[in-house]
Amino acid sequence: MAPHHLRQHQQCLAFLYPSHIRPSTTARPPLSLPQSPFSRLQRHNSSNTTTSKNPTPSPSPSPSSKTPSPTPNNPHWLPTQHTRLGKCIHHGLRSPTQLTLASQIAQILAQEWPSLIGGPSGYLTRRERNQRKRGLDRRPVEWGEMDSMGHVNNVQYVRYAETARVGWVRGFAAKAEAEAGDNAGNRGREREKRKWEDLWTSRSRGMILKRIDTVFKFPLRFPDHVSAFHRVSCFPLGGDASYGENDDQGQGEEEAEAKRNPPQKRFRKLKETLVLDVLLLSHLHTRVAATFREEVTMFDYVRGRKMDALPGFMQRAFENVVEEQEVEIRYWRARREEVERLIEELERGLGEEDVGQG
């Protein structure tokens, strides 16, 4: 076997047996599907289906007929693709072309799984483009965060979301600082940076958590790593006249036009309340650990009352985020379709009956 084919073969084995890879000089364990980690995914999927008194084996889908694409928010999309690819690898890849294709699919699923889960719903997950918008990035789960039940305490989930929210806002401050650069005369950006930083304090104007709803998906345990991503669902209207910011002058016509023709279609504005959706991912299990919906009130600690509206630069920042979310939705939905097409191509190459028997 050629060296590059051997590497691809080892990548496929790593996909099936991530912790049981043997050197090429020793005998490999038989490719038994029930021993693979996908048996757990299959049991998880089968537990959500209703069984009849006389169950009959479901026929395998025809490779020639295109399987309808699942909905973008289908929580079982990634396990389903894992199972399909696992069956193909378990059956046996006959040619170097199939081996290369299977290796390519395995790399996509292994490297892009956070984006394949959250991207179609609008979460900004791409590291190379949205590093500052990652509120929580591969935070290790500590042993002391578990309770007497042997899993991470439910209160700690909310703390993950809280820490991620502060980190998400700090990303806006870091962006303003980067745009200010070394230009000492760019006082507008420096002012914006300070006001972003004030949002997680009580010095001036900040955020107060009004409500948080949590949906627990499965119990986290040590050791693991978690990441959290935010999505702007609703945000207050801008143009707070009481703010009196000089750097917002000259934006009246632009803001008025934005209000008449808002760029976002999927996400709406809601006065006085910032609504954020949060996605918490487990890196050990490559799945969603919890989802949150946060309602945040913008509060003026100096005047002791809620802010009537956002300052203009904050509104524009949220509008830019909403536009980026729309781009991510389109990109990752197309990426999912591409992955499904590659798996269907691999299934067609192996044949309907062979994959069904595997």
Side-chain angles (χ1 to χ4, degrees):
M1 182 178 293
H4 64 282
H5 289 158
L6 179 60
R7 287 194 300 270
Q8 294 170 347
H9 185 71
Q10 290 176 342
Q11 289 172 352
C12 293
L13 288 179
F15 180 81
L16 277 175
Y17 305 98
S19 59
H20 300 284
I21 304 303
R22 302 289 191 272
S24 58
T25 56
T26 61
R28 295 191 302 269
L31 291 178
S32 176
L33 186 60
Q35 297 177 1
S36 72
F38 301 103
S39 58
R40 174 180 57 83
L41 300 176
Q42 292 171 337
R43 289 195 301 270
H44 174 73
N45 291 337
S46 61
S47 63
N48 296 330
T49 58
T50 304
T51 58
S52 59
K53 295 182 179 179
N54 298 319
T56 57
S58 58
S60 57
S62 173
S64 59
S65 60
K66 181 176 176 61
T67 304
S69 299
T71 58
N73 296 324
N74 182 5
H76 304 300
W77 183 88
L78 187 62
T80 299
Q81 310 315 313
H82 279 164
T83 303
R84 294 173 63 189
L85 179 58
K87 286 183 178 181
C88 294
I89 298 175
H90 166 71
H91 171 72
L93 305 174
R94 301 172 180 173
S95 66
T97 302
Q98 294 174 351
L99 184 61
T100 302
L101 182 58
S103 175
Q104 177 186 357
I105 299 171
Q107 287 182 2
I108 293 175
L109 295 180
Q111 297 175 4
E112 302 179 12
W113 69 269
S115 298
L116 290 171
I117 291 177
S121 299
Y123 294 96
L124 305 181
T125 56
R126 281 192 275 185
R127 183 184 299 271
E128 63 276 10
R129 295 187 57 182
N130 307 295
Q131 179 64 37
R132 296 192 182 97
K133 296 183 178 66
R134 286 174 170 246
L136 205 62
D137 190 11
R138 289 192 60 86
R139 181 198 184 278
V141 175
E142 304 294 342
W143 180 86
E145 294 171 347
M146 295 191 297
D147 55 19
S148 59
M149 302 301 294
H151 59 75
V152 173
N153 189 270
N154 290 356
V155 176
Q156 186 61 39
Y157 282 73
V158 180
R159 289 175 179 167
Y160 290 151
E162 177 185 50
T163 303
R165 183 173 66 256
V166 174
W168 181 72
V169 175
R170 291 183 67 182
F172 290 98
K175 181 180 179 181
E177 182 179 15
E179 291 177 351
D182 299 330
N183 186 2
N186 196 348
R187 297 181 179 179
R189 291 298 185 186
E190 294 177 358
R191 244 189 335 262
E192 291 178 9
K193 173 181 176 293
R194 290 195 300 269
K195 294 191 179 300
W196 282 116
E197 292 175 343
D198 287 343
L199 288 182
W200 64 81
T201 69
S202 58
R203 293 193 298 261
S204 176
R205 296 168 176 86
M207 300 186 305
I208 295 180
L209 183 63
K210 178 181 178 182
R211 175 177 177 176
I212 182 168
D213 297 328
T214 307
V215 179
F216 300 98
K217 298 297 185 178
F218 80 98
L220 288 167
R221 291 182 174 88
F222 171 86
D224 200 347
H225 289 78
V226 294
S227 294
F229 306 95
H230 277 75
R231 177 183 67 189
V232 176
S233 181
C234 309
F235 61 92
L237 297 175
D240 187 358
S242 63
Y243 230 69
E245 294 294 344
N246 295 329
D247 55 325
D248 284 338
Q249 293 180 358
Q251 300 293 337
E253 296 181 0
E254 179 182 348
E255 293 179 3
E257 177 63 24
K259 292 178 183 179
R260 289 193 298 267
N261 301 303
Q264 64 278 3
K265 303 297 182 182
R266 194 183 316 271
F267 308 98
R268 61 189 178 90
K269 296 180 182 179
L270 185 65
K271 189 175 182 180
E272 296 181 352
T273 304
L274 173 65
V275 181
L276 302 172
D277 295 321
V278 190
L279 188 70
L280 183 67
L281 299 181
S282 164
H283 286 262
L284 178 63
H285 300 278
T286 62
R287 58 175 292 193
V288 180
T291 59
F292 309 86
R293 168 153 285 207
E294 303 172 333
E295 292 187 16
V296 180
T297 298
M298 313 302 288
F299 192 79
D300 188 339
Y301 288 97
V302 177
R303 295 183 175 89
R305 61 179 177 85
K306 291 190 294 185
M307 293 171 57
D308 296 331
L310 283 177
F313 71 90
M314 288 187 180
Q315 181 197 11
R316 291 190 294 273
F318 289 145
E319 287 179 348
N320 291 336
V321 170
V322 167
E323 292 178 353
E324 293 177 11
Q325 290 173 180
E326 294 286 353
V327 172
E328 293 296 285
I329 288 175
R330 292 191 295 269
Y331 178 86
W332 288 109
R333 287 185 181 180
R335 186 63 164 167
R336 276 192 175 189
E337 293 177 357
E338 180 183 359
V339 171
E340 292 174 354
R341 179 185 59 79
L342 293 175
I343 295 179
E344 289 169 2
E345 180 181 346
L346 186 62
E347 290 173 340
R348 283 195 300 269
L350 295 175
E352 174 183 0
E353 296 182 359
D354 295 338
V355 176
Q357 292 174 0

